[in-house]
């Protein structure tokens, strides 16, 4: 790792801003400057060291135990077992069993019935005895929460494929759905990209109803409080979720199931071919359908049951796509839900641009050059169904996912490319990105992650959508990122879109002054995102909305100077409960306060102090908490990179703002 010749002498890692006498703590105090410079250099070099040879950054992306459990289940569905890998995944699963006996959706979270049933089933498939102490504890917890019949739709479909419960225990999802026209109240283009990518191959599985290979003939009858064939309450809704619309959809579900045998064989065959062609068109080589694990599993299983041979290149690619998600560390292994190189690379570049040294800027430019080659311009993405005349210009989240660029990544990449000192290489890419972003603005002024006006909320009442994550509506955090990119570029033609987005953001501020964070945990993330956007858009620090947000952030600061927020905050009755400080959330809070002009405030000083104290000898930070929701209350993620680039970004921004009065 390189260090500038003028780097200050290293300080003890235990050094802290508050260790120095109060009178000496001025904006230009030499000792404090040395502490900051040392921390920034260490973090900068550690981040550069983790850059891949091709220029990108790709940190691990970890989900709950559902994903590795499903990987074991997939192997047993196909009858293609890898004993060594299976043993490593079981080590990972056992290590994450909670004190309550089951498995949560994130460390420290409550018992989750669906995750627990899948983990138990996977362990039993892999050979764990149901009489083993950990299995006895898990079974007691599962039965105490209603048993396997109380799991969500996706878990029940998986169990039905293994013959563990009858098909009447899952929603009626016929393959003919793919034939429904765009004007029909329910069709595949009215749901989000992730739902579409998962649903199309899933309709084939639910129509053909194949039986898993299950070579060890494992059963989990012991997880049902009532025998699966006798159970009559598979469609229990959470308290308060049963509405007239819900009951109507359930009635239609029963009607469709009864009429299924009347569907002409020719029509069914045509629908199967259409669904298969849709899947093959988006198979995406070794990056996988939708580049997300659930869709990729469904695609591989569909190829198998549709007769694609083991040596068929498409089936081989689908399997390699799943294998590429595996992370093996010694005796343990898990499967990622997807990979995040575009997101990691763009955010790492922004952090290094803030760090500002020649080494940092050169590394950031290498990352941007890698990103430049991945801009999606002429690809036939699903987004073109709603914007057929809009030119391309977006980026995907993953290494390759051409049908599904997303607005959040696109805005962050455009932001970083606009910021670079080597700007002459990127103006065309930035203009194309901004044109695409403006064209993807929803009618209410906000921006969603992948789609436009994907707000048919009635669809969340269908039996298939018990997870409540079928749609992709505009969110404050994505909108804020787009506003940041548009405001930085300051193009005249973007002013109407920018004004509408800012007005929408103002309408979304919570009564307490915060903003909801859809794609990061949670209100700290959302509030940082919007305050940054406001600052770039020229909204003054004395604006009433900004002052309310600052007051909220200051009120959430912990005694140690940091900020922490649990994923429990996604449960409405537990809005923003206090949690232990984390490096990434503390960095978001500091960045948000800096954007609001609070560099001299005590809250920022204490936040910076927390980051200095918690930096590791290797220059990075670590925290095991999950940093973001995939879907609130359903699926959560840990971005391992968040403790690498966000604290560096915050410390460098504080250094620059406090010394120069300029936030890069």
């Amino acid at each position: 790792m390189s260090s500038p010749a003028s780097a200050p002498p290293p300080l003890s890692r235990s050094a802290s801003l508050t260790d120095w006498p109060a009178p000496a703590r001025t904006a230009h105090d030499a000792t404090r400057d040395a502490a900051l410079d040392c921390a920034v250099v260490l973090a900068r070099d550690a981040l550069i060291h983790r850059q891949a040879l091709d220029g990108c950054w790709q940190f691990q992306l970890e989900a709950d135990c559902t994903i590795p459990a499903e990987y074991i289940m997939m192997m047993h569905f196909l009858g293609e077992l890898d004993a060594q890998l299976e043993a490593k995944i079981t080590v990972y699963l056992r290590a994450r069993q909670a004190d309550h006996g089951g498995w949560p959706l994130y460390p420290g979270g409550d018992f989750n019935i669906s995750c627990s049933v899948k983990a138990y089933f996977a362990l039993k498939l892999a050979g764990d005895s149901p009489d083993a102490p950990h299995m006895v504890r898990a079974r007691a917890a599962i039965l105490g929460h209603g048993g396997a019949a109380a799991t969500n739709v996706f878990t029940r479909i998986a169990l039905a494929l293994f013959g563990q419960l009858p098909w009447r225990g899952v929603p009626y999802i016929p393959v003919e759905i793919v034939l429904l026209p765009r004007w029909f109240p329910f069709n595949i283009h009215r749901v989000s990209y992730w739902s579409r990518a998962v649903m199309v191959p899933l309709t084939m599985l639910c129509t053909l109803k194949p039986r898993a290979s299950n070579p060890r003939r494992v059963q989990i009858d012991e997880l049902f409080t009532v025998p699966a064939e006798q159970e009559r309450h598979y469609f229990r809704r959470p308290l308060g979720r049963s509405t007239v619309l819900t009951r109507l959809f359930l009635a239609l579900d029963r009607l469709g199931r009864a009429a299924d045998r009347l569907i002409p064989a020719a029509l069914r065959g045509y629908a199967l071919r259409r669904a298969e062609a849709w899947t093959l068109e988006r198979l995406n080589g070794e990056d996988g359908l939708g580049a997300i694990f659930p869709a990729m599993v469904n695609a591989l299983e569909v190829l198998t049951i549709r007769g694609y041979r083991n040596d068929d290149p498409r089936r081989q690619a689908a399997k390699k796509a799943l294998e590429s998600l595996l992370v093996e560390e010694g005796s343990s292994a898990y499967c990622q839900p997807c990979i995040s190189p575009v997101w990691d690379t763009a955010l790492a570049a922004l952090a290094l641009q803030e760090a500002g040294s020649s080494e940092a800027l050169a590394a950031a430019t290498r990352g941007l050059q890698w990103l430049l080659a991945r801009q999606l311009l002429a690809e036939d993405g699903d987004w073109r169904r709603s914007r057929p005349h809009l030119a391309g210009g977006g980026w995907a989240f993953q290494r390759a996912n051409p049908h599904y660029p997303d607005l959040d990544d696109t805005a962050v990449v455009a932001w970083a490319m606009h910021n670079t000192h080597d700007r002459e290489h990127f103006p065309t890419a930035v203009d194309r990105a901004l044109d695409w972003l403006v064209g993807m603005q929803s009618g209410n002024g906000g921006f969603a992650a992948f789609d436009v006006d994907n707000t048919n909320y009635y669809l969340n009442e269908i039996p298939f959508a018990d997870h409540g994550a079928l749609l992709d509506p505009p969110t404050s955090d994505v909108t804020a990122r787009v506003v940041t990119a548009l405001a930085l570029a300051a193009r005249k033609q973007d002013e109407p879109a920018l004004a509408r987005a800012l007005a929408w953001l103002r309408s979304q501020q919570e009564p307490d002054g915060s903003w909801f964070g859809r794609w990061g945990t949670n209100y700290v993330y959302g509030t940082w995102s919007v305050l940054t956007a406001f600052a770039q858009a020229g909204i003054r620090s004395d604006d009433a909305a900004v002052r309310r947000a600052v007051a909220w952030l200051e009120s959430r600061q912990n005694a140690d100077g940091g900020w922490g927020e649990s994923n429990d905050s996604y449960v409405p009755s537990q809005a923003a409960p206090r949690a232990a400080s984390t490096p990434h959330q503390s960095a978001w809070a500091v960045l948000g306060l800096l954007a609001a002009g609070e560099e001299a405030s005590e809250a920022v000083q204490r936040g910076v102090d927390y980051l200095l104290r918690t930096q590791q000898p290797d220059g990075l930070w670590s925290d095991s908490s999950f940093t973001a929701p995939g879907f609130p209350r359903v699926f959560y993620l840990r971005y391992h990179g968040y403790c690498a680039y966000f604290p560096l970004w915050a410390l460098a921004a504080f250094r620059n703002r406090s010394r120069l009065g300029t936030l890069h």
Side-chain angles (χ1 to χ4, degrees):
M1 294 184 290
S2 60
S3 297
S6 59
L11 299 181
S12 165
R13 279 293 94 220
S14 61
S16 161
L17 293 185
T18 54
D19 289 337
W20 311 110
R25 293 183 64 207
T26 65
H28 299 287
D29 176 80
T31 308
R32 187 186 67 176
D33 286 355
L36 273 172
D37 287 339
C38 176
V40 169
V41 167
L42 284 171
R44 178 205 69 192
D45 288 351
L47 185 57
I48 293 173
H49 181 69
R50 283 156 179 77
Q51 187 174 28
L53 292 177
D54 63 6
C56 83
W57 281 268
Q58 181 179 315
F59 292 90
Q60 293 178 29
L61 180 59
E62 189 175 3
D64 62 72
C65 288
T66 299
I67 301 297
E70 287 180 355
Y71 199 97
I72 290 178
M73 293 169 67
M74 176 198 71
M75 290 194 291
H76 286 259
F77 178 92
L78 300 173
E80 300 173 3
L81 307 186
D82 181 335
Q84 185 177 12
L85 173 62
E86 184 177 75
K88 288 186 175 184
I89 295 176
T90 61
V91 170
Y92 180 91
L93 291 175
R94 291 188 207 102
R96 281 152 184 81
Q97 187 176 18
D99 291 342
H100 49 55
W103 283 262
L105 295 179
Y106 47 88
D110 293 337
F111 172 90
N112 182 267
I113 184 71
S114 298
C115 183
S116 297
V117 167
K118 284 184 176 178
Y120 180 99
F121 191 23
L123 290 171
K124 191 172 181 182
L125 286 169
D128 282 18
S129 168
D131 297 324
H134 67 285
M135 298 290 275
V136 171
R137 289 196 304 116
R139 184 165 62 252
I142 290 168
L143 293 173
H145 286 82
T151 55
N152 63 24
V153 162
F154 288 113
T155 303
R156 298 204 307 275
I157 291 173
L159 295 180
L161 289 168
F162 275 83
Q164 303 303 300
L165 57 78
W167 280 98
R168 64 175 175 78
V170 305
Y172 178 62
I173 316 173
V175 70
E176 287 76 19
I177 285 173
V178 301
L179 304 178
L180 296 174
R182 288 183 59 85
W183 55 261
F184 198 75
F186 175 77
N187 66 76
I188 62 171
H189 294 290
R190 287 185 183 267
V191 299
S192 64
Y193 124 70
W194 59 81
S195 299
R196 196 178 316 131
V198 170
M199 184 184 296
V200 172
L202 191 63
T203 64
M204 302 175 72
L205 293 171
C206 290
T207 297
L208 297 172
K209 299 178 175 58
R211 179 63 70 91
S213 176
N214 195 5
R216 296 172 183 160
R217 300 295 181 264
V218 174
Q219 304 290 317
I220 52 168
D221 297 342
E222 68 271 20
L223 295 188
F224 289 86
T225 59
V226 174
E229 290 293 340
Q230 299 175 24
E231 176 64 61
R232 292 293 181 268
H233 299 94
Y234 282 113
F235 293 93
R236 291 172 284 195
R237 281 271 175 165
L239 188 62
R241 286 289 304 278
S242 182
T243 65
V244 172
L245 193 57
T246 303
R247 292 192 289 273
L248 173 62
F249 279 129
L250 285 171
L252 292 173
D253 183 272
R254 289 191 292 269
L255 179 63
R257 197 184 306 273
D260 184 80
R261 55 189 173 83
L262 302 178
I263 296 175
L267 178 62
R268 173 137 293 172
Y270 175 65
L272 285 167
R273 291 191 297 275
R274 281 281 298 273
E276 185 175 333
W278 188 97
T279 301
L280 290 173
E281 179 187 343
R282 293 160 178 78
L283 206 53
N284 195 25
E286 293 186 11
D287 292 281
L289 175 61
I292 51 175
F293 176 85
M296 292 156 68
V297 168
N298 291 344
L300 177 59
E301 293 179 354
V302 159
L303 292 176
T304 302
I305 66 173
R306 293 292 282 174
Y308 289 76
R309 295 165 52 92
N310 279 330
D311 59 356
D312 187 289
R314 290 161 294 188
R315 180 168 167 180
Q316 288 182 335
K319 187 172 183 180
K320 286 180 181 177
L322 287 159
E323 292 171 345
S324 70
L325 297 177
L326 292 167
V327 175
E328 297 189 49
E329 298 175 325
S331 62
S332 179
Y334 74 92
C335 182
Q336 301 172 99
C338 62
I339 58 173
S340 54
V342 171
W343 186 245
D344 285 332
T345 301
L347 291 170
L350 283 168
L352 289 170
Q353 287 170 353
E354 196 70 65
S357 69
S358 59
E359 296 93 338
L361 296 177
T365 299
R366 289 196 299 272
L368 296 179
Q369 291 288 357
W370 180 86
L371 288 166
L372 184 62
R374 281 156 182 80
Q375 190 171 25
L376 300 170
L377 300 173
E379 291 79 0
D380 187 24
D382 281 8
W383 59 271
R384 293 187 184 276
R385 304 305 184 270
S386 32
R387 293 292 186 268
H389 305 298
L390 179 63
W395 276 268
F397 178 77
Q398 302 89 347
R399 193 171 289 267
N401 194 8
H403 275 82
Y404 304 109
D406 80 87
L407 282 74
D408 213 358
D409 279 87
T410 300
V412 173
V413 173
W415 177 2
M417 286 183 171
H418 182 275
N419 268 8
T420 182
H421 70 296
D422 203 16
R423 194 176 300 174
E424 64 270 14
H425 294 293
F426 305 108
T428 301
V430 172
D431 279 339
R432 287 172 170 172
L434 298 179
D435 289 344
W436 184 73
L437 288 169
V438 170
M440 295 292 286
Q441 189 170 28
S442 288
N444 61 10
F447 293 85
F450 299 92
D451 293 291
V452 179
D453 293 320
N454 196 247
T455 54
N456 299 292
Y457 294 107
Y458 63 87
L459 293 178
N460 279 331
E461 301 299 325
I462 66 176
F464 176 77
D466 65 349
H467 56 304
L470 203 63
L471 304 175
D472 179 21
T475 64
S476 295
D477 43 355
V478 176
T479 302
R481 221 91 60 221
V482 176
V483 165
T484 299
L486 295 178
L488 277 167
R491 304 189 313 173
K492 186 72 174 177
Q493 66 265 37
D494 298 336
E495 289 178 0
L498 184 58
R500 292 176 59 225
L502 286 167
W504 187 80
L505 284 174
R506 287 187 181 277
S507 74
Q508 297 301 300
Q509 189 172 25
E510 301 288 335
D512 62 11
S514 66
W515 277 271
F516 180 80
R518 166 59 180 86
W519 296 100
T521 307
N522 171 351
Y523 295 97
V524 174
Y525 180 85
T527 304
W528 155 65
S529 301
V530 177
L531 284 175
T532 299
F534 278 9
Q536 297 295 351
I539 294 175
R540 291 167 53 95
S541 60
D542 60 358
D543 181 271
V546 174
R547 299 325 304 165
R548 290 197 301 273
V550 167
W552 182 83
L553 281 173
E554 291 177 343
S555 74
R556 305 304 302 179
Q557 191 169 25
N558 288 329
D560 61 6
W563 281 262
E565 184 179 351
S566 166
N567 286 301
D568 292 345
S569 63
Y570 288 102
V571 179
S573 62
Q574 302 184 48
R578 289 196 176 274
S581 297
T582 67
H584 60 279
Q585 288 168 325
S586 300
W588 295 337
V590 168
L591 286 167
L593 290 170
L594 289 173
E598 295 292 312
E599 62 271 14
S601 71
E602 181 183 356
V604 168
Q605 302 285 338
R606 293 174 58 222
V608 169
D609 178 52
Y610 167 83
L611 291 174
L612 288 174
R613 282 188 286 106
T614 55
Q615 190 177 23
Q616 301 172 155
D618 67 357
L620 300 182
W621 289 258
S622 72
D623 186 81
S624 61
S625 63
F626 276 33
T627 59
F631 311 117
R633 303 190 299 280
V634 178
F635 182 64
Y636 295 91
L637 303 166
R638 178 189 173 197
Y639 288 81
H640 287 223
Y642 279 16
C643 282
Y645 38 75
F646 279 121
L648 166 61
W649 189 353
L651 290 178
F654 171 74
R655 179 198 63 184
N656 297 338
R657 186 65 173 259
S658 61
R659 292 184 194 173
L660 305 176
T662 304
L663 188 61
H664 289 192

